[in-house]
Amino acid sequence: MTESLTASVVGASGFTGGELLRLLYGHPDFEIAQATSRSYGNKTVGSVHPNLRGMDLRFSDPEELESVDVLFACTPHGVSMEHIDSFRDAADTVVDLSADFRLDTESEYDEWYDGHERPELLAESEYALPELNRENLLDADLIASGGCNATAAILGLKPLFDADVLSGGERIVVDVKVGSSEGGAGGGEASSHPERSGVVRPYAPTGHRHEAEIEAFLGTQVSFSAHAVDMTRGAAATCHVYPDDPVSTADLWKAYRGSYADEPFVRIVAGGSGVYRYPEPKAVAGSNFAEVGFELDPRNGRIVVFSAIDNMMKGSAGQAVHAANVALGLEETAGLEFTGMHPVGAP
Amino acid sequence: MTESLTASVVGASGFTGGELLRLLYGHPDFEIAQATSRSYGNKTVGSVHPNLRGMDLRFSDPEELESVDVLFACTPHGVSMEHIDSFRDAADTVVDLSADFRLDTESEYDEWYDGHERPELLAESEYALPELNRENLLDADLIASGGCNATAAILGLKPLFDADVLSGGERIVVDVKVGSSEGGAGGGEASSHPERSGVVRPYAPTGHRHEAEIEAFLGTQVSFSAHAVDMTRGAAATCHVYPDDPVSTADLWKAYRGSYADEPFVRIVAGGSGVYRYPEPKAVAGSNFAEVGFELDPRNGRIVVFSAIDNMMKGSAGQAVHAANVALGLEETAGLEFTGMHPVGAP
Amino acid sequence: MTESLTASVVGASGFTGGELLRLLYGHPDFEIAQATSRSYGNKTVGSVHPNLRGMDLRFSDPEELESVDVLFACTPHGVSMEHIDSFRDAADTVVDLSADFRLDTESEYDEWYDGHERPELLAESEYALPELNRENLLDADLIASGGCNATAAILGLKPLFDADVLSGGERIVVDVKVGSSEGGAGGGEASSHPERSGVVRPYAPTGHRHEAEIEAFLGTQVSFSAHAVDMTRGAAATCHVYPDDPVSTADLWKAYRGSYADEPFVRIVAGGSGVYRYPEPKAVAGSNFAEVGFELDPRNGRIVVFSAIDNMMKGSAGQAVHAANVALGLEETAGLEFTGMHPVGAP
Amino acid sequence: MTESLTASVVGASGFTGGELLRLLYGHPDFEIAQATSRSYGNKTVGSVHPNLRGMDLRFSDPEELESVDVLFACTPHGVSMEHIDSFRDAADTVVDLSADFRLDTESEYDEWYDGHERPELLAESEYALPELNRENLLDADLIASGGCNATAAILGLKPLFDADVLSGGERIVVDVKVGSSEGGAGGGEASSHPERSGVVRPYAPTGHRHEAEIEAFLGTQVSFSAHAVDMTRGAAATCHVYPDDPVSTADLWKAYRGSYADEPFVRIVAGGSGVYRYPEPKAVAGSNFAEVGFELDPRNGRIVVFSAIDNMMKGSAGQAVHAANVALGLEETAGLEFTGMHPVGAP
């Protein structure tokens, strides 16, 4: 093995930061230089992330960044744009996991968010959803890792566009079900256990900001609605689409195999026997896998597309490591081999 | 109070039967005559339904039905049509909770199920969703209590048709999330706790039989898909519709208030502050309430309609008692006053 | 029916307050005069407690108490003692649900808590666990409703003392499992859904304040430990005791029947067939029932005692209404008839 | 790397078998030769274990065992003893995960189970709990991997004996909380999701067979009781012990550090700040780690000992691989590096 690359995690006490620490710790090519946290001073990372209790690493001050090969920014939306210069001073490659650099233009950003501090970087940064744009990531030095709900929706829908099943004018409903970790550590009343457990709760049922990413990537509008359900990890997208021309199940298999046959992290799951016939968040919990599948509804002229990821992994930390692997010319799957477990409860 | 009416529950060891026993036990006008079970012979009802451990009642033989005022049939689909003559011999009013008598014509039935044994009764029986057709139920003697998913979807969508927001030609996506009790007692591998907990699992994503009921009632096609999520009770429908003509939020309030302002069991929940802004199964768990709500998506020309019920109550046992109350001229809310709890976990 | 009595709930936006509103709303003898809340001003009670969305009642100012027959205080520990004079000015009967007046003497209080502001009231107030001391509650005007964990433990153990199976010198382990509602509304990081779901988490494993109540009531020391588990409602106590003299299962049945045969809210559950053979929180969720049971372990000379309640009901709001019913000479079960449901998820 | 060793899993369609496949698949020194299943014929392992959907491996016939270096038997209790000769013919090293060979003598076995078919092998087989007896496992050819509840209890209690805090005559209460995967795949009514979710359910509250293993290993009697709680994976033991002589917290730290300071899979967790202060199953889900901790209760002269494992890992598949690593002279941690996740729901 060659010499290790060094990596830092800024905002390492949050859920995404914790997962990055876990992944980097097990990654053959990275050595963790810093895990910063404003709140947890000099505490061990295991005092916040109990799965890492055995790890000999303490949180450090985000104001004193060391020079590293790659820096992962896990700060809340709006914070990365403020500190981006110091991040880029510290690291050759910056992977930002927030929404700050995901859109391409200031006008797009302003439509969904409030005023970007560094709009000139929007064009420079590369959106990362490696299955669909890995060629853009080679040697990229500012990477915006794709968002969880957007990743689920895009992975499910993109093959239909690539195979010309959809052309862009159709109405597309994206009905997403997500776990409580999407709200991040800390949480308020809505995410307290008594209020949050057992829910099917609509939130941001219209106008969700992830619509922006999806539309930017697919080049067409989608009708997005999210629901909180009782799991900790996971995002599952059910997309209801009505192609103009009839398609067969064979056409759909061809479309999805065409897009994903050689992808190391995508599994096509559509039918079969037994309990598990479609994509499910449980089946990918803890892993960087995405599952996509479909079912044809000839009676209604509809295709139902299913997509499932672990929002902490393929939807954030795993995707970020995957992107870094590509950008740095490493084995794409390095550090991301964990396959998930069976059985697993509410992942 | 006048003399009690007598009621029997056939198939009383199942989940729906248990809920009926609970409701009839607390009902001011009914006295339970029999609770039949093929499997649990002479055991106490509390040995199967632990909440009824204090009740002095034993399961009896379904072959020896007593004469009663009303008989509730909680048998699996296909069984009621076989025994319907003995049910009607035993009771002036039969409320069937299965799908056997929900559709109106044999051809409709054959499209979704396999061969009806007593097709001549399909026209005679009355479908019960009391909010929308209570006038049909007065003095009805064969009532088919509406199904859980269909009830959720119909209650959510009907006001849009009644207020001419929808006319019938539009595409309607009905994306339903349901609890594990829909599978009934017993269960197989798919509903074992290790496999079923924490899921977002598509099932019958196309061609679900409840489509038939919804379409029969609304007079238009719908694109229905169901997902199992981690709760025991509850059905939540999210309907995505695109009206031909633009509507305002005020129009929607007017439509829903027009349909439900005086309904004792329907709550309109759309917006507001705090944790609970939309319909949620948790908010109605254990009760006969249905919640309906909506959100306008001007960007996509979409209305998102939400509907939530307890599938064991408004979706089966509660609806059946409600229908019986109407049919027998009792107070509509009699025996159905329980308001649900807060907080409640996975209901 | 005679004229209604009036009742107020102080601190009505908390979980316990919400349950009291639900119970009083359905109670045949009470009319709700006020539901006070410092935080929710003039909002409807349904904006906080979604199960009460249909109720026409708004929170009012706790500084402006109306004169009522009974006032239920659901304020945090330490607040009742501060406001007790205004509570007693407003109401003939005050039922306090906090720990402020549960102990008998200032020295006991100081051992477990920090300084009582009104120690002279400790001797005057009556601890309420109606099954075991209802005679003290008749005409009581200051009632301290028993705590949840203490209620579970005491109901389980008391019959063994009453039947002389235990005499007081034995070691008694009380291993309790509780739901997240014990932490109250609001919650912090530890009770956020991602951290709290799926746990078996020791908390206050030694020195828990409920030890004080149990020991005061039973007159002997107990070794108490609590664990958070994944449910919202419920407290289950498993007590491990080693009697000096051997006992038989028949002796135990005699002891428990001797204590509880005529109790309307206690069910003895010990053995039998099927899924439900012992006390379980699920079986009593939403109800005022307590279940107690036992198993003999001859090999180890041990009795294992099980006890299960809904901490929001028999452990707080239900117990408080039960106590008020006794104090005011009403039917003991009035307003408390709900039997729970089957199935129910994480209650 | 040297040439791979070959490994087979007999009974690979069960939960434990699936976890073994996952571990062996990621193990640097093993190559999977066979995964047998009587029920799933020639199906892919991913059709049963959805996390392994990407794995190119099909179930094979258990009657046709290939010659391998190590065979893991994941068959139900009683099956291994029947087939043990064919297992040993096929493999130099057999690791049995059932209870068939855990006890040392026929008389012990007969006390807890019903008649052993091959009692002469009881003395020959080695019980595996590597932290406490790894020296016995070197070159062992018939290994009985320790049971889940026993492992949790023994790991928690053993240091107290080794440090002479306990001597063997004391009463020891072991109150265990376990997840639904302990019931295995398939399940019956008691483990169906509607009945099993949200439970605190005593089962085998006295006379549990794991008492035998614990007592055999510790050389003293324990009072064991198990409770089902709402998680899929995990076993947490709370042990209540009363030493004859007073001890300090420092004594306890010394005892536990003495036993586990150098153990790669044991974490001592006792106190500290934040949410996670004691052992929790969530913190080790998916990993081979065990957490042990303690709290002193001076008032009652009690030590409360906590222990938490993933019953599928440290309690079965992980322990079996650990034992095989020791027996075959491999790196002890090989294939067992996964650290668990944070957050994780009901693991």
Side-chain angles (χ1 to χ4, degrees):
Chain A
M1 198 190 304
T2 62
E3 208 178 335
S4 279
L5 300 164
T6 53
S8 288
V9 178
V10 174
S13 63
F15 289 159
T16 306
E19 281 293 82
L20 268 168
L21 293 178
R22 160 170 85 87
L23 294 175
L24 296 172
Y25 182 69
H27 196 293
D29 302 314
F30 286 120
E31 188 180 311
I32 302 174
Q34 284 187 290
T36 81
S37 165
R38 237 171 252 293
S39 317
Y40 291 92
N42 197 36
K43 297 210 167 180
T44 62
V45 298
S47 68
V48 171
H49 305 298
N51 61 318
L52 305 180
R53 290 204 248 229
M55 194 184 293
D56 182 24
L57 180 67
R58 288 175 185 275
F59 292 115
S60 60
D61 185 343
E63 301 300 331
E64 300 178 12
L65 296 179
E66 298 174 19
S67 182
V68 291
D69 293 299
V70 58
L71 180 149
F72 295 92
C74 302
T75 45
H77 299 316
V79 175
S80 282
M81 65 175 80
E82 189 183 337
H83 295 276
I84 188 64
D85 289 338
S86 69
F87 294 170
R88 300 184 86 181
D89 285 348
D92 296 332
T93 306
V94 171
V95 183
D96 183 43
L97 287 86
S98 80
D100 284 9
F101 299 103
R102 288 187 193 148
L103 299 181
D104 279 340
T105 68
E106 188 170 9
S107 63
E108 273 180 278
Y109 189 88
D110 286 344
E111 189 182 343
W112 297 93
Y113 299 88
D114 297 326
H116 202 289
E117 293 187 22
R118 301 296 299 279
E120 77 281 8
L121 294 177
L122 288 171
E124 187 182 336
S125 63
E126 292 293 348
Y127 186 79
L129 210 167
E131 282 77 8
L132 301 176
N133 69 348
R134 55 168 60 82
E135 63 284 1
N136 300 348
L137 302 176
L138 286 169
D139 301 318
D141 56 10
L142 177 53
I143 294 171
S145 192
C148 51
N149 297 327
T151 295
I154 293 168
L155 284 175
L157 291 168
K158 192 64 168 41
L160 298 180
F161 288 92
D162 288 347
D164 292 325
V165 173
L166 297 179
S167 59
E170 301 86 355
R171 272 184 189 134
I172 299 175
V173 170
V174 179
D175 191 298
V176 170
K177 296 86 181 164
V178 301
S180 61
S181 61
E182 283 211 353
E189 192 185 351
S191 66
S192 74
H193 184 271
E195 304 291 18
R196 180 65 175 73
S197 68
V199 297
V200 179
R201 178 176 298 161
Y203 77 83
T206 65
H208 192 290
R209 287 166 167 183
H210 277 201
E211 252 183 52
E213 273 178 63
I214 302 169
E215 296 182 6
F217 205 96
L218 296 181
T220 189
Q221 252 178 255
V222 300
S223 294
F224 183 95
S225 295
H227 304 77
V229 298
D230 198 348
M231 57 186 179
T232 295
R233 297 173 169 245
T238 305
C239 305
H240 307 265
V241 302
Y242 298 84
D244 290 337
D245 298 316
V247 292
S248 67
T249 295
D251 293 334
L252 295 176
W253 274 107
K254 195 175 162 196
Y256 283 88
R257 285 202 177 117
S259 291
Y260 299 133
D262 298 326
E263 286 299 335
F265 293 121
V266 182
R267 300 196 294 233
I268 308 172
V269 186
S273 62
V275 173
Y276 295 91
R277 305 179 184 202
Y278 297 102
E280 289 198 27
K282 277 177 66 134
V284 296
S287 87
N288 197 49
F289 285 98
E291 293 190 337
V292 297
F294 49 82
E295 190 68 48
L296 203 58
D297 178 7
R299 193 167 184 277
N300 289 294
R302 176 176 57 141
I303 307 168
V304 191
V305 175
F306 302 103
S307 177
I309 60 171
D310 180 333
N311 62 311
M312 290 286 106
M313 287 292 298
K314 183 66 190 162
S316 56
Q319 181 130 284
V321 170
H322 188 184
N325 286 347
V326 175
L328 299 171
L330 307 174
E331 185 73 29
E332 281 204 20
T333 57
L336 298 170
E337 295 88 350
F338 182 66
T339 59
M341 302 174 267
H342 178 238
V344 66
Chain B
M1 195 190 305
T2 61
E3 209 177 335
S4 279
L5 299 164
T6 52
S8 288
V9 177
V10 174
S13 63
F15 289 159
T16 307
E19 281 294 82
L20 268 168
L21 292 178
R22 162 171 85 87
L23 294 175
L24 296 173
Y25 183 69
H27 196 294
D29 302 314
F30 287 121
E31 188 180 311
I32 302 173
Q34 283 185 292
T36 80
S37 165
R38 235 171 254 292
S39 315
Y40 290 93
N42 196 36
K43 296 208 168 182
T44 62
V45 297
S47 68
V48 171
H49 306 297
N51 61 319
L52 305 180
R53 289 203 249 229
M55 194 184 292
D56 182 23
L57 180 67
R58 288 175 184 274
F59 292 115
S60 60
D61 185 343
E63 302 300 330
E64 299 178 12
L65 296 179
E66 297 174 18
S67 183
V68 290
D69 292 300
V70 58
L71 180 150
F72 295 93
C74 301
T75 45
H77 300 316
V79 175
S80 282
M81 64 175 81
E82 189 184 339
H83 295 275
I84 189 64
D85 289 338
S86 67
F87 294 170
R88 300 183 87 180
D89 285 348
D92 295 333
T93 307
V94 171
V95 183
D96 183 43
L97 287 86
S98 80
D100 284 9
F101 299 102
R102 288 187 193 149
L103 299 181
D104 279 340
T105 66
E106 189 171 8
S107 63
E108 273 180 278
Y109 190 89
D110 286 344
E111 190 183 342
W112 298 92
Y113 299 87
D114 296 327
H116 201 292
E117 293 187 23
R118 302 295 300 277
E120 76 281 9
L121 294 177
L122 288 171
E124 185 181 336
S125 63
E126 293 292 347
Y127 187 79
L129 210 167
E131 282 77 8
L132 301 177
N133 69 348
R134 56 167 60 81
E135 62 285 1
N136 300 348
L137 302 175
L138 287 168
D139 301 320
D141 55 10
L142 177 54
I143 294 172
S145 192
C148 51
N149 297 327
T151 294
I154 293 169
L155 284 175
L157 291 168
K158 192 64 165 47
L160 298 180
F161 288 91
D162 289 346
D164 292 326
V165 173
L166 296 180
S167 59
E170 300 86 356
R171 273 184 188 133
I172 299 175
V173 170
V174 179
D175 192 297
V176 170
K177 296 86 180 165
V178 301
S180 60
S181 60
E182 283 212 353
E189 193 185 349
S191 67
S192 74
H193 183 271
E195 304 292 17
R196 180 64 174 73
S197 68
V199 295
V200 178
R201 177 176 298 160
Y203 78 81
T206 65
H208 192 290
R209 287 166 167 180
H210 277 201
E211 253 184 52
E213 274 178 62
I214 302 169
E215 296 183 7
F217 204 96
L218 297 181
T220 188
Q221 252 177 257
V222 299
S223 294
F224 183 96
S225 295
H227 303 77
V229 298
D230 198 349
M231 57 186 179
T232 294
R233 298 174 168 244
T238 305
C239 306
H240 307 266
V241 302
Y242 299 85
D244 289 336
D245 299 315
V247 292
S248 68
T249 295
D251 293 334
L252 294 176
W253 273 107
K254 195 173 163 198
Y256 283 88
R257 284 203 177 112
S259 291
Y260 299 132
D262 299 325
E263 286 300 334
F265 293 121
V266 182
R267 302 196 294 234
I268 308 172
V269 186
S273 62
V275 174
Y276 294 91
R277 305 176 185 206
Y278 297 102
E280 289 197 27
K282 277 178 64 134
V284 296
S287 87
N288 197 49
F289 285 98
E291 294 190 338
V292 296
F294 49 82
E295 191 67 48
L296 202 58
D297 179 7
R299 191 166 185 278
N300 289 294
R302 176 178 57 142
I303 307 168
V304 190
V305 176
F306 302 104
S307 177
I309 60 172
D310 180 334
N311 63 310
M312 290 285 105
M313 287 293 297
K314 183 65 190 165
S316 55
Q319 180 130 286
V321 170
H322 189 184
N325 286 347
V326 175
L328 299 171
L330 307 174
E331 185 72 31
E332 279 204 21
T333 57
L336 298 170
E337 295 87 352
F338 182 66
T339 60
M341 304 174 266
H342 178 237
V344 67
Chain C
M1 197 189 305
T2 63
E3 208 177 337
S4 278
L5 299 165
T6 53
S8 288
V9 177
V10 174
S13 63
F15 289 158
T16 307
E19 281 293 83
L20 267 168
L21 292 178
R22 163 171 83 88
L23 295 175
L24 295 173
Y25 183 68
H27 196 293
D29 301 313
F30 287 120
E31 188 180 313
I32 302 173
Q34 283 185 292
T36 81
S37 165
R38 237 171 253 291
S39 316
Y40 290 92
N42 195 37
K43 296 210 167 181
T44 62
V45 298
S47 68
V48 172
H49 305 298
N51 60 319
L52 306 180
R53 290 204 247 230
M55 195 184 291
D56 182 23
L57 181 67
R58 287 175 185 276
F59 293 115
S60 60
D61 185 344
E63 300 301 329
E64 299 177 15
L65 295 178
E66 299 174 19
S67 183
V68 290
D69 293 299
V70 58
L71 181 150
F72 295 92
C74 301
T75 46
H77 301 315
V79 175
S80 281
M81 65 175 79
E82 188 183 339
H83 295 275
I84 189 64
D85 289 339
S86 69
F87 294 169
R88 301 184 86 180
D89 284 349
D92 296 333
T93 306
V94 171
V95 183
D96 184 43
L97 286 86
S98 80
D100 284 9
F101 299 103
R102 288 187 192 148
L103 299 180
D104 278 340
T105 68
E106 189 171 8
S107 63
E108 273 180 279
Y109 189 88
D110 286 344
E111 190 182 342
W112 297 91
Y113 299 87
D114 296 327
H116 202 290
E117 292 187 24
R118 302 296 299 278
E120 77 280 9
L121 294 177
L122 288 171
E124 186 181 337
S125 63
E126 292 292 348
Y127 186 81
L129 210 167
E131 282 77 8
L132 301 177
N133 69 347
R134 56 169 58 82
E135 62 286 0
N136 300 349
L137 301 175
L138 286 168
D139 302 317
D141 56 10
L142 178 53
I143 294 172
S145 191
C148 51
N149 297 327
T151 295
I154 293 168
L155 285 176
L157 291 168
K158 191 65 165 48
L160 298 179
F161 288 91
D162 289 348
D164 292 324
V165 173
L166 297 180
S167 58
E170 301 86 355
R171 272 184 190 135
I172 299 175
V173 170
V174 179
D175 191 297
V176 170
K177 294 88 180 166
V178 301
S180 61
S181 61
E182 284 211 353
E189 193 186 350
S191 66
S192 75
H193 183 271
E195 304 292 19
R196 179 67 174 72
S197 67
V199 296
V200 178
R201 179 177 296 161
Y203 77 82
T206 65
H208 193 289
R209 287 166 167 181
H210 277 200
E211 253 184 51
E213 273 178 64
I214 302 169
E215 296 183 7
F217 204 96
L218 297 181
T220 188
Q221 252 178 257
V222 299
S223 295
F224 183 96
S225 295
H227 303 78
V229 298
D230 198 348
M231 57 186 179
T232 294
R233 297 172 169 246
T238 305
C239 306
H240 307 266
V241 302
Y242 299 84
D244 289 336
D245 299 316
V247 292
S248 67
T249 295
D251 294 334
L252 295 176
W253 273 108
K254 196 174 162 196
Y256 283 87
R257 285 203 176 113
S259 291
Y260 298 133
D262 300 325
E263 285 299 334
F265 293 120
V266 182
R267 301 196 294 234
I268 308 172
V269 186
S273 62
V275 173
Y276 294 91
R277 306 178 184 203
Y278 297 101
E280 289 197 27
K282 277 178 64 134
V284 297
S287 87
N288 197 49
F289 285 98
E291 294 189 338
V292 297
F294 48 82
E295 191 68 48
L296 202 57
D297 178 7
R299 192 166 184 277
N300 289 294
R302 176 177 58 141
I303 308 168
V304 190
V305 176
F306 303 103
S307 177
I309 60 171
D310 180 334
N311 62 309
M312 291 284 105
M313 286 293 298
K314 183 65 191 164
S316 55
Q319 181 130 286
V321 170
H322 188 184
N325 286 346
V326 174
L328 299 171
L330 307 174
E331 185 73 30
E332 281 204 19
T333 57
L336 298 170
E337 295 88 351
F338 182 67
T339 58
M341 301 175 269
H342 178 238
V344 67
Chain D
M1 196 189 304
T2 62
E3 209 178 336
S4 279
L5 299 165
T6 52
S8 288
V9 177
V10 174
S13 64
F15 289 158
T16 307
E19 281 294 82
L20 268 168
L21 292 179
R22 162 170 84 88
L23 295 174
L24 296 173
Y25 182 69
H27 196 294
D29 302 314
F30 287 120
E31 188 180 312
I32 302 174
Q34 283 185 291
T36 81
S37 165
R38 235 171 253 291
S39 316
Y40 291 92
N42 196 37
K43 297 208 168 184
T44 62
V45 297
S47 68
V48 171
H49 306 298
N51 61 319
L52 305 181
R53 289 204 249 227
M55 194 185 292
D56 182 24
L57 181 67
R58 289 175 185 275
F59 293 115
S60 60
D61 185 345
E63 301 300 331
E64 300 178 12
L65 296 179
E66 298 174 18
S67 183
V68 291
D69 292 300
V70 58
L71 180 151
F72 296 92
C74 301
T75 44
H77 300 316
V79 175
S80 281
M81 65 176 78
E82 189 184 338
H83 295 275
I84 188 65
D85 290 338
S86 67
F87 294 169
R88 302 183 85 181
D89 284 348
D92 295 334
T93 306
V94 171
V95 183
D96 183 43
L97 287 86
S98 80
D100 284 8
F101 300 101
R102 289 188 193 147
L103 299 181
D104 279 341
T105 67
E106 188 171 8
S107 64
E108 273 180 277
Y109 190 88
D110 287 344
E111 190 182 341
W112 298 93
Y113 300 87
D114 296 327
H116 202 291
E117 293 187 22
R118 303 292 301 277
E120 78 280 11
L121 295 177
L122 288 172
E124 186 181 338
S125 63
E126 292 293 346
Y127 186 80
L129 210 168
E131 282 78 8
L132 302 177
N133 70 347
R134 54 169 59 83
E135 63 284 0
N136 300 348
L137 301 175
L138 287 168
D139 302 317
D141 56 11
L142 177 53
I143 294 172
S145 191
C148 51
N149 297 327
T151 294
I154 292 168
L155 285 176
L157 291 168
K158 192 63 167 44
L160 298 179
F161 288 92
D162 288 346
D164 292 325
V165 173
L166 297 180
S167 59
E170 302 86 355
R171 271 184 190 136
I172 299 175
V173 170
V174 179
D175 191 298
V176 170
K177 296 87 180 165
V178 301
S180 61
S181 60
E182 283 213 352
E189 192 185 350
S191 67
S192 74
H193 184 271
E195 305 291 19
R196 180 65 175 73
S197 69
V199 296
V200 179
R201 178 176 298 161
Y203 76 83
T206 65
H208 192 291
R209 287 166 167 181
H210 278 199
E211 253 184 51
E213 274 178 63
I214 303 169
E215 296 183 7
F217 204 97
L218 297 180
T220 189
Q221 254 178 255
V222 299
S223 294
F224 184 96
S225 296
H227 304 77
V229 298
D230 198 349
M231 56 187 179
T232 295
R233 297 175 170 244
T238 305
C239 305
H240 307 265
V241 302
Y242 299 85
D244 290 337
D245 299 316
V247 291
S248 67
T249 296
D251 294 335
L252 294 176
W253 273 108
K254 195 174 162 197
Y256 283 88
R257 284 202 176 114
S259 292
Y260 299 132
D262 299 326
E263 286 299 335
F265 293 121
V266 182
R267 302 196 293 233
I268 308 172
V269 186
S273 62
V275 173
Y276 295 91
R277 306 179 184 202
Y278 298 102
E280 289 198 26
K282 277 178 65 134
V284 296
S287 87
N288 197 49
F289 285 98
E291 293 190 338
V292 297
F294 48 82
E295 191 68 49
L296 203 57
D297 179 6
R299 191 167 185 276
N300 290 293
R302 176 177 57 142
I303 307 167
V304 190
V305 176
F306 302 103
S307 176
I309 60 171
D310 180 334
N311 62 310
M312 290 285 106
M313 286 292 298
K314 183 65 189 164
S316 55
Q319 181 130 285
V321 170
H322 188 183
N325 286 346
V326 175
L328 299 171
L330 307 174
E331 185 73 29
E332 281 204 20
T333 57
L336 299 170
E337 295 87 352
F338 183 65
T339 59
M341 302 174 269
H342 177 238
V344 66

